[in-house]
Amino acid sequence: MPSSLVRKAAPVTAAGLACALAFAAAPPAAAGPAAAGPSVGVRVGVTGGAYTGSVGIVWTAARTVFGGYYCAANGTDPTPLTALVDAQEQYGLGGVRAYWDAAKKDFVVTDIHGDLADGKKKWNAYVNEKKITTGPCGTAIKDTDKVRWTLEA
């Protein structure tokens, strides 16, 4: 005898499923502003250490990175650091590490693919072959930009 708790499955429409998934995938409010910026396609390269590489198009946008910090130039724009983190996730660069520097109010990249920054060398970011002058979360990038991270003295 079937239980009185057993019910027939209700039909689910595609619109209903899409709505449910949209709510399930929404980031927490602390992840950034309600209106996130654009997703852009950029090229990312890494040079200066034992590992040198260039990956295909990396799709990146303003986002939460290491330790839950929101990384966005002008509050909504993708940055060289979001491009690096997304390149790691999309292509596997062999690992990326950084820490939040409270004095600089930005991140400092310490390791890409096992190539460590130290007292003599540091990771610097370039956008379209120009070294950035603000931090890696304070520099906006746009579609078709070339982002290069270089370990240099």
Side-chain angles (χ1 to χ4, degrees):
M1 177 162 175
S3 166
S4 61
L5 297 177
V6 175
R7 297 189 311 183
K8 288 177 98 178
V12 177
T13 65
L17 182 59
C19 185
L21 290 175
F23 286 116
S39 178
V40 300
V42 298
R43 295 219 176 258
V44 176
V46 177
T47 63
Y51 172 77
T52 297
S54 180
V55 297
I57 299 294
V58 173
W59 292 99
T60 190
R63 62 174 284 182
T64 302
V65 294
F66 311 102
Y69 288 94
Y70 189 68
C71 183
N74 308 315
T76 59
D77 294 326
T79 69
L81 187 59
T82 63
L84 179 66
V85 170
D86 286 326
Q88 164 61 29
E89 291 177 2
Q90 293 167 32
Y91 291 95
L93 299 177
V96 172
R97 288 190 288 176
Y99 69 90
W100 178 256
D101 185 320
K104 293 179 182 180
K105 295 185 177 161
D106 211 325
F107 281 92
V108 174
V109 174
T110 59
D111 178 4
I112 301 173
H113 195 74
D115 292 328
L116 301 172
D118 57 26
K120 296 178 184 175
K121 298 183 281 185
K122 67 179 187 169
W123 283 104
N124 291 308
Y126 292 77
V127 176
N128 299 324
E129 298 308 319
K130 290 182 75 176
K131 188 175 181 179
I132 65 172
T133 57
T134 57
C137 281
T139 303
I141 59 174
K142 60 188 183 323
D143 204 34
T144 71
D145 279 349
K146 293 178 182 170
V147 177
R148 178 173 48 91
W149 284 86
T150 301
L151 185 61
E152 53 195 9

